[in-house]
Amino acid sequence: VSGVSTNGSFITVRGIGDRYVLTSINGAQIPTLDPFTNNIKLDIVPASLVDNVIITKTASPDLPGDWTGAYISVETKDYPEKFTLNVESQVGYNPNSSLSNVLSTQNSSTDWLGFDDGFRKFDHANYKNLNFNPSLYDKFIALGLGDYYAGLGLNSDWTKLSPEAQQEFTALGYNKLGLLGKGEINNQAALLKANQAFVANGLSDKAFRIINEDAAKIGASLPNNWKSFKKRAPLNYSQSFSLGNQTKLFGKSLGYILGLRYNSQVQYDPNSVADRSQGIINDGVAARNDISNPEIAKFTNGWSALINLAYKFNPNNSISFLFMPNFIGVNNLREGIIFSSKDAGNPIFGSAQFYEQRQQLIYQVKSTHFIPKRKVKIDFNASYTSGKSDAPDFKRYRFFTADDNPDYFYDGPAFADDPLVRDFRVLKEKLLDTKLSFEFPINKNQSLPAKLKIGAAYKSLSRKYDQYNYGFLFGNGDPLAENGDLNQFFDQKNFLLNGDTNTSVNYYYTSGYVAPTHTIGKSEVAAVYAMTDITIVPTFRVSGGVRVEQVDMFADADLYNANGYANGDFRRVYQVPLLMNAGRLNKLSVLPSLNLIYKLKNDDDAPMNLRLNYSRSVARPSIREYSESVIYDFELRANVFGNSNLKMVDINNYDLRLESYFKNGDNVSVSLFFKDFKNHIEVINFQGQGFSWSNADDSYVVGIEIEGRKKIIKNLDIRLNASFVKSQSNVVPATLEVDPVTLVQKWIYGQSFARQMFGQAPLVLNCILNYEIPDYGLSASMAYNVQAARLVLTGFNDDPDIYEMPRHLVDFKLSKTIVKKFGISFTVKDILNSPIRRSYKFDNDKGYLVDFDSIRFGTNYSISISYKI
């Protein structure tokens, strides 16, 4: 498809970022569970169950209004005409990883199924922090005096009482413990001796142990799985199965399709790049904070299934039901030496382990009806998805180490660069997407058909996010000694009470409730539309109409929302001088569209058409982008936080397309397009504190798209398309300042400047060479795809912008039917082993000096065997 490029399991269209591409399953949206994309991965649906993939690049009133690049609908099969069976097994080899020793960690017994069996689970509800300085009241309560004090009318810590009352309750406690006589309650000397006896007799230590023993055990219950190791990686593997047929139920046709897909893949780069830079220093050399070549490993396991039932009451009325569960677990590992310019001479050994499991349970119902007498078609679609992303025990640490051997550590953790932490994250999303439409003719002239379509839609998304952070701190234990052993260092015994008196620990975890780590959000979009499709004369057709959408969206910390705190309220301060405001959007959008089609050559076998389209669309911030909670991102190695001040993007779209088809199957088309953006959203390096989202003032994209298919010789053809794009954004840099008295955040805007539009590639090129001999069941294809450098992270002040560099992807596939119903194929993906690379672009003749990150996962070779009926 012209202008369409792959980016992993996602696609971009005309070089524009995925924010403006909307992907759906059977025309219904499902939650992405991803903070940096509004899209879903196309491969969640078993390929054998895909009927087709519809890519629409010009807006229509009967489609959602929040896209501008393309609207993609993955359509599943729903009604087999006869018995079908498809079984396919694929084995893949990658020289980087397969059958080689790769970086790994301890896993759960069910990781291979795409979810954790509880190995990484932790009981947050019963977690307790160690109390290193319990009050005397706390100790007395631990020793069993709670009921005694309650009988005296004391139900809380006496430190809030007057000094005289505190002394009285202290004396009464010592008396109850047998350390002070009744007649000595007001005797200061006796009270002092009782206090000394409380310590000397071990009662103070006993109380300390009672107070902290459970907390220490909870800390020690976190598994010692910090240390990575090498293990032999298996071959990549996938298995798919589908079965379909139709039968009779109550005398009516019932079609069914069942499908299952499993996938297991290991990706590994033993020498990736992950550098960080802050502009150019005086001698023209990039100033680099971190220069690192860590090992990166990624283990992906997942499965998806589909059950589809379609029931035909009669030729004019049918209903279908779909259930599609998807489970995927990804274990991301990064480990290696990091040389920091801040600590010259003391390299740092860093490690991060990020396991995430996602599940999506998709339920859909579709009902289609036709009333012959009125010639009215009625369609009703409803989709409900329950999604969950669970990232248990995201661990990272850094230690200073020796130059000659990274296995030897000294001087303790490098807290100044990155603390030892364990994070647990749970995201739950529920999405309901419903549509109802009526379509009927509006004239009786069959040679010049005209129809009217009206409809309504409603979409509701709710989001709940919880994050639990546990910091690693030192108690009485010594920092890691030279030649230290990480397994010994992180031994769970070090978190238990130790020493002769059992009143100390070597290490411990600490955590506290912070409101922004528990957030909620909701988005509702209600829409109505009306559109017509009228053939004026046999060679001229007009379609278009208007769609009206009302959005109501908010995102906030659960606690602040429950208490009704207004934005700017000082009670929203969670870390002086930072405060978290709620993001809110309530707006009505009127979205007209008009499409003109003129047949320059009215020939069914070789038509030539001229198309002209105008439409207005929007792009709304996501709930995550509105939420000002702070989340540390594994790939960026930095904090990411939302922006409650984000504005909705408004876009005007103009398209002109000339297309010509030839009787031999060749075709050629040329398209001109222009898009005008107001408040384009981009990701920025925000004041050097991490990454956030911001609005550009106004932007535009203008481009030309060329597409063609040419038969070279018999059985050999080439298909080529290219998009050439010029883009520009007028950006007003802004800094966030906090009033030290009111703690109210204010945006301070600077001087505007122009640059390439965020997320927009100036060139997209696709080419595929196909060779087929149908009589022998043989086919071969060679494909090439590239996008020019596009801005993906914007800098702040002296920090340079970061661009996603061109990736030259070359793939090859050879397929052959062995015997009837059996087939075999050989595929090579990423033949050039092109790196996934993001680089800094400096504002001088030095260009791209430093890679923000660069990863080569190697070339994939796979063999597939299939059986089809």
Side-chain angles (χ1 to χ4, degrees), residues 1-4 13-15 57 655-658 669-673 703-707 721-725 764:
V1 178
S2 60
V4 174
V13 178
R14 290 173 170 171
K57 290 191 285 185
D655 287 87
L656 177 64
R657 177 182 174 91
L658 176 64
S669 67
V670 179
S671 301
L672 300 176
F673 57 90
I704 182 172
E705 196 172 70
I706 303 171
E707 177 186 13
N721 61 69
S723 298
F724 304 91
V725 182
V764 178

Side-chain angles (χ1 to χ4, degrees), residues 446-514:
Q446 299 297 320
S447 62
L448 298 174
K451 62 182 179 181
L452 173 66
K453 187 175 183 180
I454 59 174
Y458 174 77
K459 181 170 61 179
S460 174
L461 172 65
S462 63
R463 187 179 195 272
K464 180 76 170 69
Y465 177 77
D466 294 292
Q467 182 176 200
Y468 304 88
N469 310 111
Y470 300 94
F472 178 101
L473 296 176
F474 286 100
N476 293 4
D478 294 328
L480 191 65
E482 188 174 358
N483 303 344
D485 181 346
L486 277 183
N487 282 324
Q488 182 180 354
F489 176 75
F490 287 114
D491 193 304
Q492 291 164 291
K493 293 184 293 185
N494 288 322
F495 296 86
L496 294 172
L497 296 174
N498 59 32
D500 296 335
T501 59
N502 285 332
T503 59
S504 65
V505 294
N506 288 340
Y507 318 124
Y508 64 99
Y509 295 104
T510 183
S511 181
Y513 181 87
V514 180

Side-chain angles (χ1 to χ4, degrees), residues 266 402 658 710 741 781 783 862:
V266 181
L658 176 64
K710 175 64 179 175
V741 178
S781 65
S862 62

Side-chain angles (χ1 to χ4, degrees), residues 128-135 138-139 208 211-212 215 503 508:
K128 298 178 181 178
N129 278 320
L130 284 166
N131 185 354
F132 281 102
N133 297 295
S135 67
D138 293 332
K139 293 180 179 181
F208 183 92
I211 291 171
N212 288 299
T503 59
Y508 64 99

Side-chain angles (χ1 to χ4, degrees), residues 273 275 277 279-280 284-288 756-757 760-762 787-793 800-806 837-854:
V273 174
D275 290 356
S277 179
I280 298 289
V285 178
R288 299 156 84 175
Q756 180 178 328
M757 180 175 163
Q760 177 67 59
Q787 289 189 90
R790 62 188 187 119
L791 178 61
V792 291
L793 297 169
D801 293 333
I802 299 168
Y803 282 72
E804 181 181 275
M805 303 304 290
R837 180 179 167 221
R838 293 182 290 188
S839 301
Y840 292 97
K841 185 177 183 181
F842 297 96
D843 191 17
N844 60 12
D845 57 358
K846 298 291 183 180
Y848 301 99
L849 286 174
V850 179
D851 284 343
F852 180 82
D853 51 27
S854 180

Side-chain angles (χ1 to χ4, degrees), residues 286-303:
R288 299 156 84 175
N289 288 340
D290 292 338
I291 307 172
S292 57
N293 297 99
E295 297 179 66
I296 290 182
K298 186 175 183 179
F299 297 79
T300 304
N301 296 281
W303 62 273

